[in-house]
Amino acid sequence: MREGDLVEIAVLNVNIDEGVSIHWHGVDVPNAEDGVSGVTQDAVLPGQRYTYRFKVHQSGTFWYHSHQASSRQVKRGLYGAFVILPRGSLPRTLDLAVVAHSFSGARTLGAHDGIDRRAAAPGTPVRLRVINSDSFSRRFVLSGTRFRVAAVDGTELNQPGLIEGKTLELAGGGRYDLTFTMPTRTVQLHWLGARAALALSPDGRGALPEADAGQKFDPADYGSPARTRFDASSDFDRAFMVKIEKRFGFLDGRFGRHWAVNGKLPPEFPTHIVSEGDVVKMTFVNDTDEDHPMHLHGHHMLVLTRDGEPVTGSPWWSDTLNVKPGERYEVAFRADNPGLWMDHCHNLGHAADGLVLHLAYEGVATPFMVGTRNRPE
Ligand SMILES: [Cu+2]
């Protein structure tokens, strides 16, 4: 589809007993189309049909997945790439969406758990849209060419420079667009630690380049700064803290060490309440020993600082920000999409274990209930 298109997608649940709903990850749709069962709709039960309809105002790399019992359903394959091309005519490009996913241990890129070889004529502009549909951070290497990270989480970067050999670590749910001009030799996108790879060469054959893991690519100092509608020096209308830790207590009647936010266990997590137009600062602190890819629905977050250090490269907009153990991020967003939105960890097992917050616009309530039928996580 293209930016500006009115998109209609009919979802028919043939035989998934627990129901489904489809969320458009990273696409800032109107709230009613967000596809979260129990928040923006009821789960679609077997035999039922549900139609989503929205205009796409962004262009870039997104994905869709079930938001009903998502920790099980996404793992088992209820997901896909969702690519929105920019307006206007495009140069002829080899444009490939590459979804990385683990099926009970088998690591796949697209439909391949081995090497997917394809022919690409030298001189062809190539865009690889790498999507991590797993719950855990995954690392990739693109070898055989210099390249640019043209976009992060569906948002183009400003003046991304040529890089080579860097390890690309993608948050669970995150996306990087990699662009390069096809050389005369083989280029390989390799999932580190897996057999899965995508190899492009002029004749679809040939020796594969070494896939050495280099220094980690860091969006925080990549590309050039540009003006944004707000930045670290803005006056914020609201400021929220999300400090993630583990605490002993009861969750659904189970005693144990559970995910806590600001010292509280769910359901006593804070709900972040905003008014339309607010410029909001949010601070994420990870006081645990696991990554938490924090995914805010309906909005993109501008990353301001990491561990107190300002972002010095291109404006870095994220919808799925990986907060690693010990890290602290400050982000900002404009509350410009009224509704009731999830803001949750996209390690879907963590979400199922309660690591889910909500962003609520003043005066907005939902008629849908989380309970027996609707289980968004
Ligand atoms: Cu998490």
Side-chain angles (χ1 to χ4, degrees), residues 61-79:
T61 304
F62 308 95
W63 61 299
Y64 64 91
H65 61 80
S66 184
H67 226 300
Q68 163 79 349
S70 64
S71 59
R72 275 197 304 281
Q73 294 193 359
V74 176
K75 191 185 275 180
R76 295 180 64 187
L78 279 188
Y79 66 85

mmCIF file of all heavy atoms in Angstrom, residues 61-79:
data_model
loop_
_atom_site.group_PDB
_atom_site.id
_atom_site.type_symbol
_atom_site.label_atom_id
_atom_site.label_comp_id
_atom_site.label_asym_id
_atom_site.label_seq_id
_atom_site.Cartn_x
_atom_site.Cartn_y
_atom_site.Cartn_z
ATOM 1 N N THR A 61 8.302 0.571 7.323
ATOM 2 C CA THR A 61 8.237 -0.859 7.609
ATOM 3 C C THR A 61 7.544 -1.098 8.944
ATOM 4 O O THR A 61 8.009 -0.627 9.988
ATOM 5 C CB THR A 61 9.660 -1.447 7.658
ATOM 6 O OG1 THR A 61 10.304 -1.139 6.426
ATOM 7 C CG2 THR A 61 9.623 -2.949 7.865
ATOM 8 N N PHE A 62 6.460 -1.818 8.874
ATOM 9 C CA PHE A 62 5.674 -2.131 10.058
ATOM 10 C C PHE A 62 5.372 -3.628 10.023
ATOM 11 O O PHE A 62 5.844 -4.340 9.137
ATOM 12 C CB PHE A 62 4.384 -1.294 10.062
ATOM 13 C CG PHE A 62 4.665 0.178 9.879
ATOM 14 C CD1 PHE A 62 4.603 0.776 8.621
ATOM 15 C CD2 PHE A 62 5.071 0.952 10.951
ATOM 16 C CE1 PHE A 62 4.916 2.121 8.451
ATOM 17 C CE2 PHE A 62 5.387 2.295 10.791
ATOM 18 C CZ PHE A 62 5.306 2.880 9.535
ATOM 19 N N TRP A 63 4.599 -4.095 10.963
ATOM 20 C CA TRP A 63 4.146 -5.477 10.868
ATOM 21 C C TRP A 63 2.814 -5.597 11.574
ATOM 22 O O TRP A 63 2.387 -4.655 12.251
ATOM 23 C CB TRP A 63 5.195 -6.461 11.370
ATOM 24 C CG TRP A 63 5.652 -6.378 12.803
ATOM 25 C CD1 TRP A 63 6.265 -5.320 13.416
ATOM 26 C CD2 TRP A 63 5.561 -7.402 13.794
ATOM 27 N NE1 TRP A 63 6.567 -5.630 14.711
ATOM 28 C CE2 TRP A 63 6.150 -6.899 14.976
ATOM 29 C CE3 TRP A 63 5.062 -8.702 13.799
ATOM 30 C CZ2 TRP A 63 6.231 -7.649 16.153
ATOM 31 C CZ3 TRP A 63 5.153 -9.452 14.967
ATOM 32 C CH2 TRP A 63 5.729 -8.925 16.124
ATOM 33 N N TYR A 64 2.145 -6.699 11.345
ATOM 34 C CA TYR A 64 0.870 -6.915 12.015
ATOM 35 C C TYR A 64 0.937 -8.239 12.748
ATOM 36 O O TYR A 64 1.681 -9.141 12.366
ATOM 37 C CB TYR A 64 -0.298 -6.888 11.019
ATOM 38 C CG TYR A 64 -0.287 -7.980 9.987
ATOM 39 C CD1 TYR A 64 -0.940 -9.184 10.216
ATOM 40 C CD2 TYR A 64 0.381 -7.810 8.780
ATOM 41 C CE1 TYR A 64 -0.940 -10.198 9.267
ATOM 42 C CE2 TYR A 64 0.393 -8.820 7.828
ATOM 43 C CZ TYR A 64 -0.263 -10.002 8.071
ATOM 44 O OH TYR A 64 -0.244 -11.002 7.136
ATOM 45 N N HIS A 65 0.175 -8.305 13.814
ATOM 46 C CA HIS A 65 0.163 -9.560 14.576
ATOM 47 C C HIS A 65 -1.059 -9.598 15.461
ATOM 48 O O HIS A 65 -1.683 -8.574 15.729
ATOM 49 C CB HIS A 65 1.442 -9.708 15.398
ATOM 50 C CG HIS A 65 1.670 -8.629 16.421
ATOM 51 N ND1 HIS A 65 1.036 -8.622 17.639
ATOM 52 C CD2 HIS A 65 2.453 -7.520 16.402
ATOM 53 C CE1 HIS A 65 1.440 -7.558 18.335
ATOM 54 N NE2 HIS A 65 2.292 -6.866 17.604
ATOM 55 N N SER A 66 -1.367 -10.786 15.910
ATOM 56 C CA SER A 66 -2.516 -10.926 16.796
ATOM 57 C C SER A 66 -2.226 -10.253 18.130
ATOM 58 O O SER A 66 -1.102 -10.294 18.638
ATOM 59 C CB SER A 66 -2.847 -12.401 17.024
ATOM 60 O OG SER A 66 -4.021 -12.482 17.824
ATOM 61 N N HIS A 67 -3.244 -9.585 18.671
ATOM 62 C CA HIS A 67 -3.133 -9.021 20.014
ATOM 63 C C HIS A 67 -4.160 -9.668 20.931
ATOM 64 O O HIS A 67 -4.674 -9.050 21.863
ATOM 65 C CB HIS A 67 -3.293 -7.503 19.995
ATOM 66 C CG HIS A 67 -2.256 -6.792 20.823
ATOM 67 N ND1 HIS A 67 -2.120 -7.006 22.178
ATOM 68 C CD2 HIS A 67 -1.295 -5.904 20.486
ATOM 69 C CE1 HIS A 67 -1.124 -6.246 22.628
ATOM 70 N NE2 HIS A 67 -0.604 -5.577 21.624
ATOM 71 N N GLN A 68 -4.461 -10.929 20.623
ATOM 72 C CA GLN A 68 -5.266 -11.766 21.517
ATOM 73 C C GLN A 68 -4.374 -12.950 21.875
ATOM 74 O O GLN A 68 -3.827 -13.599 20.968
ATOM 75 C CB GLN A 68 -6.545 -12.229 20.798
ATOM 76 C CG GLN A 68 -7.260 -13.410 21.445
ATOM 77 C CD GLN A 68 -8.104 -13.041 22.659
ATOM 78 O OE1 GLN A 68 -8.034 -11.929 23.171
ATOM 79 N NE2 GLN A 68 -8.905 -13.972 23.127
ATOM 80 N N ALA A 69 -4.205 -13.191 23.170
ATOM 81 C CA ALA A 69 -3.295 -14.262 23.607
ATOM 82 C C ALA A 69 -2.004 -14.179 22.806
ATOM 83 O O ALA A 69 -1.502 -15.167 22.269
ATOM 84 C CB ALA A 69 -3.952 -15.634 23.445
ATOM 85 N N SER A 70 -1.455 -12.969 22.714
ATOM 86 C CA SER A 70 -0.386 -12.727 21.742
ATOM 87 C C SER A 70 0.874 -13.522 22.039
ATOM 88 O O SER A 70 1.597 -13.897 21.121
ATOM 89 C CB SER A 70 -0.078 -11.232 21.650
ATOM 90 O OG SER A 70 0.415 -10.755 22.878
ATOM 91 N N SER A 71 1.152 -13.806 23.302
ATOM 92 C CA SER A 71 2.402 -14.518 23.586
ATOM 93 C C SER A 71 2.385 -15.904 22.946
ATOM 94 O O SER A 71 3.420 -16.417 22.547
ATOM 95 C CB SER A 71 2.657 -14.612 25.095
ATOM 96 O OG SER A 71 1.603 -15.278 25.745
ATOM 97 N N ARG A 72 1.209 -16.507 22.822
ATOM 98 C CA ARG A 72 1.108 -17.798 22.125
ATOM 99 C C ARG A 72 0.920 -17.615 20.629
ATOM 100 O O ARG A 72 1.557 -18.268 19.814
ATOM 101 C CB ARG A 72 -0.105 -18.579 22.646
ATOM 102 C CG ARG A 72 0.139 -19.379 23.882
ATOM 103 C CD ARG A 72 -0.968 -20.421 24.077
ATOM 104 N NE ARG A 72 -2.302 -19.841 24.113
ATOM 105 C CZ ARG A 72 -2.806 -19.241 25.191
ATOM 106 N NH1 ARG A 72 -2.090 -19.155 26.285
ATOM 107 N NH2 ARG A 72 -4.016 -18.726 25.166
ATOM 108 N N GLN A 73 0.003 -16.716 20.260
ATOM 109 C CA GLN A 73 -0.408 -16.653 18.851
ATOM 110 C C GLN A 73 0.687 -16.085 17.946
ATOM 111 O O GLN A 73 0.858 -16.546 16.823
ATOM 112 C CB GLN A 73 -1.696 -15.837 18.720
ATOM 113 C CG GLN A 73 -2.883 -16.520 19.392
ATOM 114 C CD GLN A 73 -4.212 -15.905 19.001
ATOM 115 O OE1 GLN A 73 -4.265 -14.953 18.229
ATOM 116 N NE2 GLN A 73 -5.286 -16.443 19.536
ATOM 117 N N VAL A 74 1.403 -15.081 18.430
ATOM 118 C CA VAL A 74 2.477 -14.524 17.595
ATOM 119 C C VAL A 74 3.592 -15.550 17.460
ATOM 120 O O VAL A 74 4.118 -15.792 16.369
ATOM 121 C CB VAL A 74 2.998 -13.190 18.175
ATOM 122 C CG1 VAL A 74 4.173 -12.664 17.353
ATOM 123 C CG2 VAL A 74 1.879 -12.157 18.221
ATOM 124 N N LYS A 75 3.924 -16.189 18.561
ATOM 125 C CA LYS A 75 4.978 -17.209 18.523
ATOM 126 C C LYS A 75 4.653 -18.274 17.482
ATOM 127 O O LYS A 75 5.517 -18.749 16.761
ATOM 128 C CB LYS A 75 5.105 -17.838 19.915
ATOM 129 C CG LYS A 75 6.318 -18.724 20.081
ATOM 130 C CD LYS A 75 6.329 -19.411 21.430
ATOM 131 C CE LYS A 75 6.937 -18.552 22.507
ATOM 132 N NZ LYS A 75 6.950 -19.207 23.811
ATOM 133 N N ARG A 76 3.380 -18.625 17.381
ATOM 134 C CA ARG A 76 2.996 -19.704 16.468
ATOM 135 C C ARG A 76 2.709 -19.213 15.048
ATOM 136 O O ARG A 76 2.299 -19.995 14.204
ATOM 137 C CB ARG A 76 1.796 -20.449 17.041
ATOM 138 C CG ARG A 76 2.166 -21.164 18.346
ATOM 139 C CD ARG A 76 1.008 -21.915 18.932
ATOM 140 N NE ARG A 76 0.573 -22.988 18.052
ATOM 141 C CZ ARG A 76 -0.514 -23.726 18.270
ATOM 142 N NH1 ARG A 76 -1.255 -23.501 19.324
ATOM 143 N NH2 ARG A 76 -0.844 -24.679 17.430
ATOM 144 N N GLY A 77 2.888 -17.911 14.800
ATOM 145 C CA GLY A 77 2.881 -17.487 13.400
ATOM 146 C C GLY A 77 1.808 -16.508 12.971
ATOM 147 O O GLY A 77 1.717 -16.195 11.779
ATOM 148 N N LEU A 78 1.005 -15.992 13.898
ATOM 149 C CA LEU A 78 -0.036 -15.046 13.482
ATOM 150 C C LEU A 78 0.540 -13.638 13.373
ATOM 151 O O LEU A 78 0.281 -12.771 14.211
ATOM 152 C CB LEU A 78 -1.214 -15.069 14.456
ATOM 153 C CG LEU A 78 -2.196 -16.213 14.242
ATOM 154 C CD1 LEU A 78 -3.420 -16.028 15.131
ATOM 155 C CD2 LEU A 78 -2.641 -16.287 12.785
ATOM 156 N N TYR A 79 1.334 -13.442 12.336
ATOM 157 C CA TYR A 79 1.971 -12.148 12.102
ATOM 158 C C TYR A 79 2.311 -12.040 10.622
ATOM 159 O O TYR A 79 2.262 -13.031 9.875
ATOM 160 C CB TYR A 79 3.258 -12.011 12.935
ATOM 161 C CG TYR A 79 4.323 -12.976 12.496
ATOM 162 C CD1 TYR A 79 5.173 -12.666 11.435
ATOM 163 C CD2 TYR A 79 4.449 -14.224 13.091
ATOM 164 C CE1 TYR A 79 6.118 -13.572 10.991
ATOM 165 C CE2 TYR A 79 5.390 -15.133 12.655
ATOM 166 C CZ TYR A 79 6.219 -14.802 11.601
ATOM 167 O OH TYR A 79 7.141 -15.703 11.152
#
